[in-house]
Amino acid sequence: NVAAPADAAADYWYFALVAVGDAAGGDGDGGAMLPLADSHVLLGEQRRTFATSFGVIADVLPAGSTNKLINAATALIVVVMQHVQAVGVRAVDCYCYLEHMLYKQLHAAIGKEVTPADFADYMRFHERRLFKDGYQPRPFSYALRRPRHCPEGIVSVEARGGTRATNDAAPQPIYTMVRVRNRHHPAEPMTFALG
């Protein structure tokens, strides 16, 4: 059994540091960011606790016994890998915190939670303003018929659930860009055998 040094934090013999950097690439002296000088102090403490843990391992485990499973080299690998794992967990925690903070700010700015249906409604509104009438996206829904007969069915690509504008849970056709070759003289219909 190897005892951890008295100044060890938590279950590890080292100091794990994860700093979320400034997106603008600054030195961290602008407000809530950790000052650069403090970052150097923390990294120095990380190096010191690594050296302390490596010293404890060197005192307890023999360095020359490479033919055994438990030796100084494998113990060093375990310490380093535990450190890598701890840094990864803390990095994920930082990213989750940032995502949650951005979500709360967006929710406060808009006043509600934005759903995919809200976004689809916004895009349809934006497309109506962006494209001329002849180039507006149209629902992908087309009638299937035999020549000189009434439609016998439709082919469509639909999205699950409706939109907030229709307030309908039924599937609705998706909107796609369509090219019409000649509006006044429609082309011959496409024909193909079924079966």
Side-chain angles (χ1 to χ4, degrees), residues 42-123:
L42 291 172
L43 288 171
E45 178 64 13
Q46 183 181 32
R47 281 192 294 274
R48 186 195 68 76
T49 53
F50 258 129
T52 302
S53 64
F54 292 166
V56 169
I57 289 171
D59 291 342
V60 173
L61 296 172
S65 59
T66 57
N67 59 346
K68 296 186 178 179
L69 180 62
I70 307 283
N71 58 33
T74 56
L76 291 177
I77 291 172
V78 168
V79 168
V80 171
M81 289 299 108
Q82 284 179 338
H83 177 71
V84 168
Q85 180 185 14
V87 169
V89 167
R90 285 168 178 78
V92 169
D93 289 344
C94 288
Y95 301 141
C96 289
Y97 173 75
L98 288 174
E99 181 183 10
H100 178 69
M101 182 179 62
L102 291 172
Y103 172 81
K104 285 186 352 185
Q105 289 175 355
L106 181 64
H107 189 276
I110 295 175
K112 67 175 184 174
E113 184 175 339
V114 178
T115 65
D118 292 327
F119 189 72
D121 285 343
Y122 168 75
M123 288 307 297

Side-chain angles (χ1 to χ4, degrees), residues 128 131-138 183:
R128 282 195 300 270
F131 297 112
K132 292 182 178 179
D133 289 339
Y135 300 99
Q136 292 285 332
R138 298 185 184 144
R183 279 177 188 261

Side-chain angles (χ1 to χ4, degrees), residues 169-195:
Q172 299 291 323
I174 64 167
Y175 282 72
T176 58
M177 303 297 285
V178 178
R179 178 177 177 251
V180 178
R181 294 195 327 218
N182 190 343
R183 279 177 188 261
H184 303 295
H185 303 289
E188 289 293 318
M190 292 176 29
T191 59
F192 49 89
L194 297 175

